[in-house]
Every structure is written in C-alpha cells, then in structure tokens.
Amino acid sequence: MDVVNPATGERVDTYETQTEEDVDAALDRATDAFGEWRERPMRERERLLESAGDVLRENKREYAETITREMGKPITQAVAEIEKCAWACDHYAEHASSYLGADHHPSPPGSTVKTVYEPLGPVLAVMPWNFPFWQVFRFAAPYVTAGNVGLLKHASNVPGCAKAIEEVFREAGYPEDVFQSLLIPSDLVDEMLEDDRVRAATLTGSGPAGRSVASTAGESLKKTVLELGGSDPCVVLDDADLDAAAETGAWARNQNGGQSCIAAKRFVVVESVYDEFLDRFVDEIDSYVVGDPMDEETDVGPQAREGLMEEVHEQVEESVEAGANVVIGGEPMDRDGQFYPPTVLTDVPEGCPADSEEVFGPVAAVYEVEDEAAAIEKANDTQFGLGATVWTEDRERGENLARQIDAGCVYVNQLVKSDPRVPFGGVKESGYGRELAEVGIKEFLNEKTVWVE
C-alpha cells in the first residue's frame, strides 16, 4: 500500500499488504484473545480504555500529522479529531459499567429474572479514510470495552493511521490481539465475513460497500451496523439568526474539505431571507484559507485522493450542464495537489448530481423555497437520511420541524455531529443500527435473559 500525500502528490511511505494466510492467523489470534478478554472484569477494561485516552493525548501531534500526511485533513482539525477520540475513551471508561449493568424484570415470587449483556466475539470493522481515527474509536471504545475483540480493515490510503491505532491499544496495556489492524485488500472482506470466527461486522462507507457487507454477513446470520452516505439538509427559516446560520453552515459544509457523511450539503432557505443568507454564506466561504494542510492557518486542505477530486468536479460539471449556477468556486485549483475550492451552486435542478447524489467534497447546493412547508418537503426529498439541521429563533418551532424530517438526527441551531453521549446513525439509504451512547455499546452483545427459580 503506497501512501501518497494529497497535498503534494508525492509518495511518502509504503506498507506491505497482508495475505489470506495472515488473515487466517489473525482470526486465530483474535479467537484466542477473546476467550481471555471476555473474562476480564469490566472495571479493568474501563481502566485500560482510560489509558488509551491518555496515550492519544500524549501523542496527539504525531497521530494528527499522520492523518494530515495520508489524507490531507488540515492539522488543527486532525488534532481535534485525536482529542475527540480521547473523549470517547473517557466517556466509556466512565459509563460502560452503568450502561451494561443487568436489567431486572418483574417475576413470580421466589424467582429472579434479569437481562445480562455478554460479548459476541471478534467484530470486523470496515472503516473509511475521512475521519481515520474517530471512525475507528467510535467503534472500538464501546465494543471492545464491552468484551468483544476488534479486527480493523481500514481504507487503503491510511495504513499509517491503522497501524498507529493498533499502537494506541498496545501502549495502553491491552492484552495482545484484543485489537488488530489488518492491511488487506477489499476482496478479502467477504472471506472474513463468511468465516465463523467473525461474529459481527460494522461498516462506515458508501452505499454499495454497505450493501455488500450486509449481504455477505446476512448469509451467515451475522449482525451488522452500517453508517452510510448522507445528503444532509440545512433548513434556514424566516426567523433564523442569519449570521449564525451562515457561519456555522459554511463550516458544516467545508470542514475536512467537505468530506463528511454528516456535512450540510443541501441548504434549503425560505425566500424571504434567501438573498441575505446567500450573501452572508458566500462571504463566509470566501474567507476560508485553502492551502497546505500542515499550516495552522489553513481551513480547507486537499481532497484525499486524485480520483475523489475528479468525481466531485464531474458532479459539479454535470449539475451546471443541467442548469445550476456557480456562485463561487467550481474548478480545480491551479496548483500541485488535489485541491478543490469551496463551491456554492444555486438554481440547482431537480435530479442533477448536486441535488440527488452525495457530493463528497466542498460543494454546497443552495435552494430557495416558498415557506416552511416547502422547506420540509425539500429536506425530505432525498434517498438519504443521516442528519439535518434547522435554523430558527423559535426553539419550539425548531423541535416541531425536527420531528418532521426523516433523519437519524436533527440539530436545531447547531451543526450535525457525532457525540459519545448520544446515539448516532441513519435511516433510509444512510444505513441502520446506532453507534455511541448506551444503545451503541449494546449493538454487538447477546442480551441474555437469565431466569432463576
């Protein structure tokens, strides 16, 4: 696996790809490790997770630079990603015991009935490159602490991140093979899913990848959790704080180079404030510094790979050919590296790529609609259902509209984000299952009823 710095186009490292025989040996080790790990007292697992958080903080600059070098995230955002991973470790180190305590049920006199939560075994995680540490810790912090063992198949352009994450667990003092990173091609994933030693799987990625994992795992009756794509609406109503909506909305679209499933992608604005919002929105985006991701002043770095930038540009070109108007941006930047400028499209026709597809880059589609009812209709006019935002000064109105939007999470007067304290996941083509919070840690457990007479 070659690591190519997307900011320069230079190859910076090479990693040896593991083979089918390596996978078989790793599965044997994972099975053996699970037998011992599941018996560890919960408090010991929590202490180890707390140590993992400490390792992340102690080495955050080093890990952040690995992220930036491999996929181009601006360094300040990469440091923040590592800090967020440490926060997830802190959260489950503090709350795992209470989340997984036995639930007692009504029962006849003289009997005791309860539900206990037991781990399943080795869990395969197929993870993406866009948040190469956070996506993994969102899986590993709860599931491994619950007593499962982790097998990571990371994206092929971030092998250094995959090995660094394995290092975090090793440095924190985890038993060997409780967490393993496998540098394998995607064509070995199906074989792992079919193997009896793998008990469950989770994937964050594209719709086609999710369908493939779900289909193969389903043939073996293995549970999966899928977090797939999104085309999140950002609804701006007539009573919104337009400065806040424009500032936060612009960042929600462009952080991480726009390469986020939960980025605000479709801005649905009522006509009475449309012109004023658009002006402020474009001014905010125009202020962003696009450049070297290792520079602390950079807001937007390169797209993670050459092919990814080309795909974004093709979607923009096809949308413009269909009638969309480019307000700002719209062409690859004339410089080394995979740099695409923050772009705003208006007059976006129904059915064009910017309207109907997930655009995984810094491209915002802005719509003018008549009123609140039309805004909600447009917000729901998508195959996706990951997140959404609503901007209004009337919090009761915002909550009412949040209930009308088909999404796994809706934030009122705030950007969509994943937070260890609350469940995260989507509906429709954005996947199923939930990560984080209490419901997340219970996804890959046997909820066993124990009746004692």
Side-chain angles (χ1 to χ4, degrees):
M1 293 183 181
D2 290 332
V3 175
V4 177
N5 186 330
T8 64
E10 298 176 353
R11 187 176 70 179
V12 295
D13 216 335
T14 300
Y15 292 80
E16 184 176 350
T17 303
Q18 292 173 276
T19 65
E20 190 173 347
E21 290 73 22
D22 294 325
V23 171
D24 185 63
L27 289 175
D28 274 345
R29 294 195 301 271
T31 302
D32 291 342
F34 175 62
E36 186 273 334
W37 179 243
R38 68 180 302 176
E39 300 302 326
R40 285 283 186 107
M42 175 60 76
R43 190 63 198 115
E44 288 187 23
R45 291 188 223 138
E46 288 173 328
R47 280 196 291 267
L48 285 167
L49 188 62
E50 185 178 22
S51 296
D54 292 340
V55 172
L56 285 163
R57 291 188 181 92
E58 290 165 6
N59 299 283
K60 65 181 179 182
R61 184 72 189 193
E62 175 189 343
Y63 296 150
E65 289 179 356
T66 300
I67 292 173
T68 300
R69 188 167 52 250
E70 292 195 328
M71 56 74 58
K73 188 190 301 286
I75 188 65
T76 54
Q77 297 171 44
V79 169
E81 180 175 340
I82 301 300
E83 291 172 340
K84 188 171 183 178
C85 294
W87 176 30
C89 292
D90 294 345
H91 178 80
Y92 283 104
E94 181 178 355
H95 297 291
S97 291
S98 59
Y99 285 159
L100 298 181
D103 295 329
H104 291 263
H105 308 289
S107 60
S111 64
T112 300
V113 181
K114 59 185 175 181
T115 298
V116 297
Y117 299 92
E118 298 180 348
L120 298 180
V123 177
L124 172 63
V126 182
M127 291 289 115
W129 48 264
N130 58 331
F131 288 87
F133 270 69
W134 170 243
Q135 304 282 15
V136 177
F137 275 89
R138 201 167 73 187
F139 140 77
Y143 298 154
V144 173
T145 305
N148 297 298
V149 298
L151 294 158
L152 170 63
K153 190 283 180 212
H154 219 325
S156 60
N157 61 326
V158 289
C161 292
K163 299 307 291 184
I165 292 167
E166 189 177 61
E167 173 189 281
V168 171
F169 288 95
R170 183 171 60 250
E171 293 296 320
Y174 278 74
E176 194 171 1
D177 302 320
V178 164
F179 183 93
Q180 299 180 69
S181 289
L182 302 176
L183 303 185
I184 60 173
S186 296
D187 58 12
L188 290 184
V189 169
D190 278 354
E191 292 183 27
M192 293 187 70
L193 291 169
E194 292 167 352
D195 195 296
D196 289 342
R197 290 168 290 184
V198 172
R199 300 308 311 147
T202 180
L203 174 139
T204 298
S206 68
R211 287 185 178 87
S212 177
V213 165
S215 176
T216 304
E219 288 292 326
S220 301
L221 297 179
K222 294 175 182 176
K223 187 172 185 181
T224 52
V225 169
L226 304 180
E227 194 265 281
L228 308 178
S231 187
D232 287 11
C234 174
V235 175
V236 182
L237 300 176
D238 52 4
D239 63 344
D241 179 336
L242 296 183
D243 284 333
E247 180 180 358
T248 303
W251 188 241
R253 172 66 279 202
N254 289 284
Q255 66 172 321
N256 198 33
Q259 300 166 120
S260 171
C261 295
I262 54 172
K265 298 184 175 80
R266 297 177 300 124
F267 292 79
V268 184
V269 187
V270 297
E271 60 184 6
S272 61
V273 296
Y274 175 83
D275 290 336
E276 188 176 357
F277 171 81
L278 182 61
D279 287 344
R280 299 184 191 191
F281 184 62
V282 172
D283 286 346
E284 184 68 27
I285 288 175
D286 196 35
S287 72
Y288 289 157
V289 176
V290 182
D292 179 2
M294 284 293 184
D295 188 333
E296 300 276 347
E297 300 302 314
T298 293
D299 298 306
V300 180
Q303 301 298 280
R305 290 198 308 267
E306 180 178 6
L308 298 171
M309 186 188 74
E310 291 174 350
E311 182 177 342
V312 167
H313 187 49
E314 286 175 5
Q315 290 174 304
V316 170
E317 287 186 311
E318 289 179 21
S319 299
V320 171
E321 289 172 4
N325 175 56
V326 178
V327 179
I328 187 174
E331 292 286 343
M333 300 181 72
D334 185 15
R335 57 180 297 170
D336 291 337
Q338 307 307 313
F339 288 90
Y340 202 82
T343 296
V344 176
L345 303 178
T346 60
D347 304 318
V348 178
E350 184 175 347
C352 75
D355 176 68
S356 61
E357 301 174 5
E358 178 179 31
V359 181
F360 214 64
V363 179
V366 186
Y367 302 83
E368 182 178 5
V369 296
E370 183 178 0
D371 54 21
E372 174 185 301
I376 297 303
E377 182 179 359
K378 186 60 185 177
N380 286 331
D381 184 22
T382 175
Q383 61 184 318
F384 299 105
L386 193 54
T389 54
V390 175
W391 287 86
T392 172
E393 291 285 75
D394 185 337
R395 296 177 63 176
E396 183 177 351
R397 181 189 191 191
E399 183 173 354
N400 178 55
L401 294 182
R403 292 176 176 271
Q404 298 178 44
I405 296 177
D406 299 329
C409 57
V410 181
Y411 282 70
V412 179
N413 300 327
Q414 180 58 272
L415 55 79
V416 177
K417 52 192 172 183
S418 54
D419 182 309
R421 298 167 295 187
V422 295
F424 179 80
V427 297
K428 300 194 289 188
E429 295 291 314
S430 292
Y432 55 74
R434 291 293 180 266
E435 298 176 297
L436 302 175
E438 179 174 356
V439 65
I441 197 173
K442 290 179 176 177
E443 284 282 11
F444 292 138
L445 294 174
N446 175 19
E447 299 184 10
K448 179 188 289 185
T449 296
V450 177
W451 185 304
V452 179
E453 193 70 36

